[in-house]
Amino acid sequence: MTRNRTRGGMSPLVWFEGFWQDLRFAARALRRSPGYTAAAFVTLALGIGASTAIFSVLYGVLLRPLPYLSADRLALVQTRNRTTGAIDPSGFSGPDFDEWRRRLRSFESLALCSSNIFALDRDQGSETVKGAFVSREFFAVLGVYPQLGRVPSGTDEIVISDDFWRRRFDGDPRIVGRRVRLNGGPATIVGVAGPGITFPTETRSSLGAPPEPPDLWAPFDAAPWAKRRAFAVGQLVGRMASGRTAAQVTADVDAVAQSFRRDYPDWDEGRDPVVVSLPAELYGGLRPALWLLFGAVGCVLLVACANVTNLLLVRQTSRGGETAVRIWLGAPVSRLVSHVFSEAALLASGGGVLGVALAVWVVALLRWFEPADLPRLDAIHVDLPVLFFAAGVSALCAIMSVAVPAWRLIATGAEVARDAEGRRYTSGRSAQRIRSGLVVTELAVSLMLLVAATLLARSFARLAGTDIGVDTDKVVAVELNLAMGRTLSPDRQIQLADRLVEATRRLPGVRAAAAANGLPPNRSRMMMSFNLPDWRTGRPVQRDIGMLNPTPQYFSALGIPLVRGRLFSAADGANAPQIAIVNVTAANRLFGALDVVGRTLPGSRKAGEKFTTIVGVVGDVKYSGLGEAVGETVYVPFPQYPFRNMMLIARTLGDPRQVSASLTRLVHSIDPEITVGAVRTLDDIVWDAVARPRFRTFLLSSLAALALALAVVGLYGVAAYAVNQRRVEIGLRLAFGARPGQIVAMIVRDALRLAIVGAVIGLLAAALFARTLAVFLYGVTTSDAPSFVLAAVALVLVAAGAACLAARKAAHLDPAVALRAE
């Protein structure tokens, strides 16, 4: 006997043998109840699968280590607009970089980089590729090196990304040394970066495409403006010195900025340097949304566990006689608890396996859809860390699900022992209260998620339905660069723009055509700094105003209404008097009135002190994002301010996609050296502008629907079990003349009491939870009454439907059969 015991009690071997017997017993019991087992498996699989899928996204985007050496020590120095507070990934020129590198002491290494677009020659003409100009120290600062080849050493050498290598060159291992034509000149590919190197990510393009990682990196010295201090288009990326904190780095940067302003007063221009960590730059904007979704899926998991707990309680109650006999024969309560835990462990394990399979499928589906604005998509997959999370969640589900049944066994063991048939254990009111309380909890949590999803859905509808000030239907645009890699005089740029617009207008199916350097709604204007007197005080105020240079048909092609004065015409050429059109917001803010025709505007600080006469006022257009307020916009004729980057716009008579291919061929037929970028319809651009809110609304709505479905299934189970327990009572009622409708009403009434209690608690919880959504809402407040009412009504109606289904069994019960069974 001593070999089976240790000084502390039962030996591990004996304990394991007992636990193994419990598992075998639980497995046999589960096989004998396939319906119960399937319900528990599916419930846990949905909860664990949803949690694992969302965690894989959270881990891949936020928690998975970046492919850079000690990424937590990498920081960026960008600039913040002093007036608007907006952070801009620029502000430093090549000469600025040399000075800042010499003065900064908090970085052990520093590099300069600037996102840009490049023209890569192909057989069909030049195509636009995303990339960046980087200083020689760039790859060393990041602590990464090419997987093939080396880093550039000359100005005509480039490194391409792993994705671009596979997509554009089919992963050719002989790519190193290949010559290509980039920006009109020869370049040599000397290296291929490793997978996952995505910095600096290109900002959203003029045509609203999602931010994209660079396809290539070129030496900063190769940029035509590399030595010009006026072109402050780069950001600094540095590796913080050992032992330096973020606060010390910020203080050092602020001190250098003060000294730099004294030496170079023109550098200031209303901006301040700001230090941003590299991880925050890459995915900081997604952090709140992903943690919100992770919290929401935790609520779904709670509902699933409550559902399984209810199933275990019902099963435990139905086996009350067996439990009573076991206790009467001397089985310790601890062994009965072990039986319950074994059953829960098997259910959680099976649910975990099914949940992981579901998560793999969901993640594959997510990667296939490639949701816009979701970075590091290649890092999102179900691997070892995610599997460890799934295992932990499965164990947590087992513990949470068995807690209440185990507590009830311990609390009522003595009572069961005195009742060999287990009747008190089976029909006690405490068991019903526990099951009802669990259902109320499920409904409350579900309603909280449902309110949040309704708020986001109403916000998304408001955002997607925002009037951007133009008619988006049947409009297609192509992004062009007239002079990438070559020098074009202003007259030549004007001539090319005129030819492109005229040729586009003549295409079959095109009603109007125009060109400009901006297109709503994605921040595609040129921001210019103006010194303008405030109309209230007369004091000069520096303002950053959006400026566009459209051709005459721009307003009619987009349906922008004329409010005062006139539009541009062919007579407003380069040698004509300087004129401008302002939007309604600019007229009101700059002059305090709409009647501004004939008033003058001083030229921008960069354009010199030329004065322009306002000849018209047009309606407001949202160029700075759907969710942003309308800004001040000044339009000047294209011939008076030609620019090489432009959008060629066509309003069509039919489907604009039928014109898309013709536009690309037309451009290259006029000049094959014009670089052609994205070709997109304006409807698609607007749709992509709401990609991020659409993504989080869809996910949260899906989680809310899943939680509601699980909660309603739980309510149905409680109602159906109540019908089964009250079959004698129901039989007597029917025998004494009660109508089936009255029986149904009785069952539904009891279920609705639970639903209403859950709704009240859920509304209170939702009022608190909704505060975390404030940053995600547009046009809807966190106390939006319709959202709360709609969610509560939906919950009650669905609960009533589930109760009606459960009550149908009671309505068709045969009184004689029920009484004989008793």
Side-chain angles (χ1 to χ4, degrees), residues 66 175 222 397 587 637 779:
L66 291 167
I175 189 66
C397 286

Side-chain angles (χ1 to χ4, degrees), residues 415-483:
E415 180 182 354
V416 172
R418 291 194 296 268
D419 183 5
E421 294 184 6
R423 291 181 182 273
R424 296 179 190 176
Y425 187 84
T426 301
S427 58
R429 289 191 176 183
S430 63
Q432 184 63 30
R433 290 195 190 100
I434 292 173
R435 289 192 293 271
S436 299
L438 288 171
V439 169
V440 166
T441 301
E442 293 180 51
L443 293 172
V445 172
S446 301
L447 181 59
M448 182 181 70
L449 293 180
L450 201 58
V451 169
T454 306
L455 285 170
L456 287 181
R458 283 173 53 79
S459 171
F460 172 73
R462 294 277 182 90
L463 186 64
T466 298
D467 181 12
I468 65 173
V470 302
D471 181 8
T472 63
D473 188 38
K474 298 181 180 179
V475 175
V476 63
V478 55
E479 189 174 9
L480 305 178
N481 190 295
L482 301 179

Side-chain angles (χ1 to χ4, degrees), residues 499-518:
R499 290 183 60 191
L500 288 168
V501 169
E502 181 61 23
T504 302
R505 188 183 63 81
R506 293 179 179 176
L507 282 175
V510 173
R511 191 172 72 186
N517 68 324

Side-chain angles (χ1 to χ4, degrees), residues 43 46 299-300 302-308 310 435-436 438-450 703-719 751 754-755 758 795 798-799 802-803:
T43 299
L46 290 174
C299 294
V300 173
L302 175 63
V303 173
C305 289
N307 234 345
V308 174
N310 241 333
R435 289 192 293 271
S436 299
L438 288 171
V439 169
V440 166
T441 301
E442 293 180 51
L443 293 172
V445 172
S446 301
L447 181 59
M448 182 181 70
L449 293 180
L450 201 58
L703 294 175
L706 178 58
L708 180 61
L710 292 174
V712 169
V713 168
L715 177 65
Y716 172 82
V718 167
L754 299 180
L795 177 75
V798 174

Side-chain angles (χ1 to χ4, degrees), residues 76 163 166 183 213 220 245-246 276 292 307 310 388 433 462 535 543 731 772 818:
L76 310 176
D163 177 71
R166 299 180 187 279
N183 288 353
F220 197 90
T245 65
V276 182
L292 170 71
N307 234 345
N310 241 333
F388 276 127
R433 290 195 190 100
R462 294 277 182 90
W535 65 273
R543 296 176 181 269
T772 63

Side-chain angles (χ1 to χ4, degrees), residues 10 26 54 65 86 120 146 163 249 261 292 352 379 393 406 411 540 610 704 711 730 809:
M10 184 179 293
I54 295 298
L120 181 67
D163 177 71
V249 172
R261 287 191 184 97
L292 170 71
V393 168
K610 297 178 181 179
I730 294 171
K809 181 179 179 181

Side-chain angles (χ1 to χ4, degrees), residues 330-495:
V333 173
S334 60
R335 187 61 185 271
L336 298 179
V337 171
S338 178
H339 288 168
V340 177
F341 179 77
S342 299
E343 193 167 304
L346 286 178
L347 291 174
S349 299
V353 172
L354 291 176
V356 168
L358 177 63
V360 170
W361 179 79
V362 170
V363 169
L365 191 65
L366 182 70
R367 289 166 62 91
W368 183 74
F369 273 114
E370 296 185 350
D373 281 0
L374 188 62
R376 305 189 70 191
L377 196 60
D378 59 334
I380 301 173
H381 43 79
V382 179
D383 57 359
L384 195 59
V386 179
L387 290 177
F388 276 127
F389 171 82
V393 168
S394 300
L396 180 63
C397 286
I399 294 171
M400 291 176 63
S401 300
V402 84
V404 175
W407 167 80
R408 187 160 178 268
L409 263 177
I410 295 171
T412 61
E415 180 182 354
V416 172
R418 291 194 296 268
D419 183 5
E421 294 184 6
R423 291 181 182 273
R424 296 179 190 176
Y425 187 84
T426 301
S427 58
R429 289 191 176 183
S430 63
Q432 184 63 30
R433 290 195 190 100
I434 292 173
R435 289 192 293 271
S436 299
L438 288 171
V439 169
V440 166
T441 301
E442 293 180 51
L443 293 172
V445 172
S446 301
L447 181 59
M448 182 181 70
L449 293 180
L450 201 58
V451 169
T454 306
L455 285 170
L456 287 181
R458 283 173 53 79
S459 171
F460 172 73
R462 294 277 182 90
L463 186 64
T466 298
D467 181 12
I468 65 173
V470 302
D471 181 8
T472 63
D473 188 38
K474 298 181 180 179
V475 175
V476 63
V478 55
E479 189 174 9
L480 305 178
N481 190 295
L482 301 179
M484 187 174 290
R486 59 177 177 169
T487 300
L488 287 182
S489 66
D491 289 341
R492 178 60 177 160
Q493 292 183 43
I494 296 169
Q495 185 183 59

